[in-house]
Amino acid sequence: MKKKKQLRSQRSIDITGFTFIAPWLIGFLGFIVGPMIASLYFSFTNYDLLSAPTWIGFENYITMFTDDARFIQALKVTFIFVFGSVPLKLAFALFVAMLFNTKRKGVGLYRTLYYVPSILGGSVAVAVVWRELFGREGALNDVLGIFGIEGTSWVTSPDFALSTLILLVVWQFGSPMLIFLAGLKAIPNELYEAAAVDGASPFLQFLKITLPMLSPVIFFNLVMQTIQGFMAFTQSFLITNGGPMDRTLFYAVYLYEKAFAHFDMGYASALAWILLLICALFTALIFKSAQSWVYYESEGGR
Amino acid sequence: MQKKSTQKTIIYHGSIILLGFLMIYPILWTIASSLKPEDEIFRNAASLIPSELKWENYLQGWEGFGNLSFSTFFVNSTFVTTMVVIGTLFSSTLVAFGFARVKFRFRTPLFVCMIVTLMLPQQVTLIPQYILFHNLGWVNTYLPLIVPAFIGGIPFFIFLMIQFIRGIPRELDEAAYIDGASTFGIFWRIILPLTTPALATVAIFSFYWTWDDFMTPLVYLNDTKLYTVALGLQLFSDPSSLSAWGPMFAMSVASILPQLLVFLFFQKYLVEGITAGSVKG
């Protein structure tokens, strides 16, 4: 049988293979690699879509770091958003997943209930609702009023607007929760039983068994959520429109503004490349750090 | 002992239901507000029970504004979403089969390229893609929304299909091959029917992300006649021009209704799909 397989020439296998992956290959070259090279070029130009791009060297990049307070502000906001929302979201997702990792009645239903906010994701409806729930006359202040607390308009308050957006993404913790849940189910129960016999407290079991066994899943969630955090757009664009006083000016919103409100495509391309570098840097850092905390049982600590 | 465990069960269910209520409250609140009379929405904001059911909000909201009703937006969204789902299924199955089962040259480096694009921020390609589509004269058409799905679209879906196909025993392919099946025949007759659960997952997720998507239509569609539901709703709920809160909430509910229904009917695939694709990797 082996021999017969080898009779097919590598050439015909290549043709078959490339035919199957052709759709992706066309998309990859034409819609990703090509545009990325173009965008790198545009980032060194002044380009407004109408007239031909003019080469200005590093000027866009220099302006960004020396003469663009809003760029710095957008970076700051985005970092606070990512560092605020990702750990909270993952911690909450893990906590809920552990609650659901039991064979009690009704768990399937609960899981569904907790997942609903996440399927609505970045929909406009959710953004609209968030704006009103946390508005001056919204439901939150109504409830606070019962306790005699005078609320504010949370979404337009410079101090609270960003926290309101962080709360929104933490609320949509469903996908990482399901991934954690699958990871938890894969941990053999005997480990906990043995630990319990040795008298390890539940907290110690969590620390010594759950966390290490779950580390590949934590790693996966961390990478995906961090990148998603850096790209967040809809929440800020629709709920706060970057305001008040640029306190929620997400990087993606600033980039959108430069590109599609001012048609400053050169500058926006430079912004996009800085975003790419930041994402790559963080992914690399997480991958690098993974060697010391991600534990692969089957592969002897790959 | 018995008593203690009953107590524990009550605390468990009690706290989960309480937290679950908080989770779902914003959605219930939207539905409630969509049925409330105008002056009640913010007077008794936290309440979930309207004093009377104003179904008219839905009729009024559906009429939209100017001469555009929400029928237009729903037809547009349905068209775009259907095309994207078809395109995604087409490209992700073909490509995944190629990567998972055909040992062509350069497979590994190309596979690595595909995985890297999984982590590529959308914003990086957004601008040059816009310029490309602008030069092709595709701006203000549905082509920039639909065509990418047919050529690989979101690599996550390819990745998910690859993971699934890898779980299918290779002996099946070999047996079919000995029986004289072509590679395409193996793909079409053996693999494709076996991947139905994964196909369902891919279809549902691409439905969700397309129906939800706000940024891509925002960038590419200028003509309000072409607007999708997401853009229509945003137009409708613009705080500076807003007076009709009830109808606005009614249309918010209408916009998420397809998503809720799909979730209700297909949640099994959704929950399985999200866990299958990630962890095995």
Side-chain angles (χ1 to χ4, degrees):
Chain A
M1 215 173 7
K2 271 242 164 73
K3 209 164 182 191
K4 189 180 174 193
K5 241 169 124 188
Q6 277 160 0
L7 281 179
R8 274 173 83 189
S9 72
Q10 185 61 40
R11 198 184 146 79
S12 87
I13 294 174
D14 289 350
I15 292 172
T16 317
F18 276 98
T19 312
F20 273 104
I21 68 157
W24 171 79
L25 199 58
I26 294 167
F28 177 66
L29 296 175
F31 285 63
I32 294 179
V33 177
M36 275 181 73
I37 295 169
S39 131
L40 188 60
Y41 166 71
F42 289 135
S43 77
F44 295 103
T45 67
N46 205 340
Y47 184 35
D48 62 2
L49 270 186
L50 298 171
S51 40
T54 45
W55 184 265
I56 53 167
F58 279 96
E59 205 180 294
N60 285 328
Y61 293 96
I62 294 167
T63 308
M64 237 184 259
F65 287 98
T66 57
D67 197 27
D68 187 354
R70 296 193 77 207
F71 163 74
I72 304 292
Q73 173 68 10
L75 268 187
K76 204 174 111 191
V77 167
T78 310
F79 276 101
I80 297 174
F81 176 73
V82 171
F83 287 115
S85 67
V86 174
L88 261 179
K89 188 178 189 174
L90 292 187
F92 198 53
L94 179 56
F95 172 72
V96 175
M98 286 178 64
L99 278 182
F100 289 164
N101 188 26
T102 128
K103 287 208 166 68
R104 287 178 206 260
K105 252 188 209 150
V107 167
L109 182 73
Y110 294 148
R111 201 180 57 186
T112 306
L113 194 70
Y114 279 62
Y115 190 60
V116 169
S118 306
I119 59 159
L120 302 178
S123 65
V124 178
V126 167
V128 166
V129 169
W130 217 254
R131 203 169 63 204
E132 305 314 330
L133 274 177
F134 291 88
R136 178 167 291 285
E137 300 179 317
L140 177 65
N141 285 344
D142 215 23
V143 174
L144 288 177
I146 300 172
F147 301 99
I149 302 168
E150 168 105 38
T152 169
S153 174
W154 305 94
V155 279
T156 56
S157 141
D159 295 331
F160 296 109
L162 189 52
S163 319
T164 319
L165 299 186
I166 290 177
L167 194 64
L168 172 60
V169 295
V170 174
W171 178 57
Q172 296 170 332
F173 64 86
S175 316
M177 172 194 75
L178 289 179
I179 295 169
F180 276 138
L181 194 59
L184 286 171
K185 285 197 195 303
I187 302 177
N189 220 6
E190 295 86 65
L191 289 177
Y192 292 105
E193 281 160 13
V197 170
D198 291 344
S201 68
F203 178 69
L204 204 61
Q205 290 179 23
F206 173 75
L207 221 57
K208 296 284 178 193
I209 302 172
T210 314
L211 280 186
M213 293 295 285
L214 216 54
S215 55
V217 181
I218 298 175
F219 170 71
F220 175 84
N221 275 336
L222 188 62
V223 173
M224 294 316 273
Q225 294 300 326
T226 304
I227 294 169
Q228 264 180 37
F230 277 115
M231 296 194 316
F233 173 77
T234 316
Q235 299 91 342
S236 160
F237 187 82
L238 285 177
I239 301 176
T240 54
N241 200 5
M245 301 186 305
D246 285 347
R247 288 295 179 93
T248 61
L249 184 72
F250 284 11
Y251 198 94
V253 174
Y254 184 53
L255 192 152
Y256 172 86
E257 223 177 78
K258 278 288 173 200
F260 301 105
H262 305 153
F263 287 98
D264 199 346
M265 292 295 177
Y267 198 74
S269 299
L271 286 173
W273 272 89
I274 294 294
L275 180 66
L276 178 69
L277 288 182
I278 292 172
C279 284
L281 184 72
F282 273 89
T283 313
L285 278 177
I286 298 172
F287 268 88
K288 191 95 186 120
S289 79
Q291 291 165 357
S292 63
W293 62 270
V294 176
Y295 171 77
Y296 288 101
E297 190 199 19
S298 53
E299 281 131 65
R302 177 176 61 179
Chain B
M1 196 68 200
Q2 184 65 40
K3 207 172 172 191
K4 206 178 162 197
S5 89
T6 323
Q7 214 175 20
K8 255 187 165 169
T9 309
I10 293 173
I11 293 174
Y12 176 83
H13 287 282
S15 42
I16 283 193
I17 290 172
L18 189 74
L19 191 61
F21 175 74
L22 282 177
M23 291 287 307
I24 211 88
Y25 174 82
I27 297 160
L28 298 178
W29 183 81
T30 319
I31 299 172
S33 299
S34 75
L35 292 167
K36 282 179 181 174
E38 203 72 29
D39 61 329
E40 214 176 286
I41 294 174
F42 295 109
R43 207 186 51 222
N44 214 343
S47 153
L48 291 178
I49 301 152
S51 66
E52 52 166 326
L53 295 178
K54 290 259 297 181
W55 295 105
E56 304 93 277
N57 283 342
Y58 279 82
L59 287 177
Q60 253 182 53
W62 194 262
E63 277 169 21
F65 39 82
N67 47 8
L68 281 176
S69 80
F70 264 82
S71 326
T72 313
F73 305 141
F74 270 84
V75 168
N76 294 345
S77 268
T78 308
F79 173 73
V80 170
T81 309
T82 312
M83 293 305 284
V84 168
V85 170
I86 293 172
T88 306
L89 287 177
F90 164 81
S91 63
S92 60
T93 48
L94 276 177
V95 174
F97 179 83
F99 275 125
R101 283 297 207 256
V102 187
K103 290 203 163 132
F104 56 95
R105 252 177 293 181
F106 307 116
R107 181 173 71 154
T108 313
L110 285 172
F111 181 73
V112 171
C113 286
M114 209 265 306
I115 294 299
V116 169
T117 57
L118 259 176
M119 297 185 220
L120 196 68
Q122 193 198 347
Q123 275 84 6
V124 180
T125 48
L126 180 72
I127 294 161
Q129 273 180 11
Y130 180 85
I131 296 169
L132 176 71
F133 291 139
H134 176 84
N135 290 334
L136 288 171
W138 287 8
V139 171
N140 215 15
T141 72
Y142 292 135
L143 291 171
L145 281 63
I146 292 168
V147 172
F150 280 89
I151 51 173
I154 298 173
F156 173 73
F157 294 131
I158 301 176
F159 178 65
L160 203 129
M161 291 300 298
I162 291 177
Q163 294 296 94
F164 196 88
I165 294 175
R166 277 183 181 161
I168 299 171
R170 261 179 184 279
E171 287 77 38
L172 285 176
D173 301 28
E174 275 157 21
Y177 184 65
I178 290 161
D179 288 345
S182 66
T183 314
F184 185 79
I186 293 169
F187 164 72
W188 189 252
R189 284 164 200 274
I190 313 277
I191 301 293
L192 211 52
L194 287 173
T195 52
T196 321
L199 290 176
T201 304
V202 168
I204 295 163
F205 270 110
S206 71
F207 162 79
Y208 271 121
W209 293 348
T210 317
W211 190 270
D212 246 6
D213 190 17
F214 176 69
M215 198 178 188
T216 323
L218 177 73
V219 166
Y220 288 109
L221 304 176
N222 310 321
D223 192 344
T224 32
K225 277 203 295 286
L226 297 177
Y227 272 18
T228 57
V229 173
L231 290 182
L233 188 61
Q234 193 246 347
L235 210 58
F236 196 54
S237 70
D238 185 3
S240 56
S241 66
L242 194 67
S243 50
W245 290 101
M248 192 272 288
F249 283 117
M251 286 310 97
S252 299
V253 174
S255 78
I256 59 174
L257 202 63
Q259 293 177 291
L260 290 176
L261 286 178
V262 166
F263 182 66
L264 218 61
F265 287 116
F266 300 105
Q267 56 139 320
K268 185 180 136 226
Y269 291 113
L270 210 66
V271 170
E272 272 172 14
I274 203 168
T275 44
S278 51
V279 182
K280 276 192 264 164

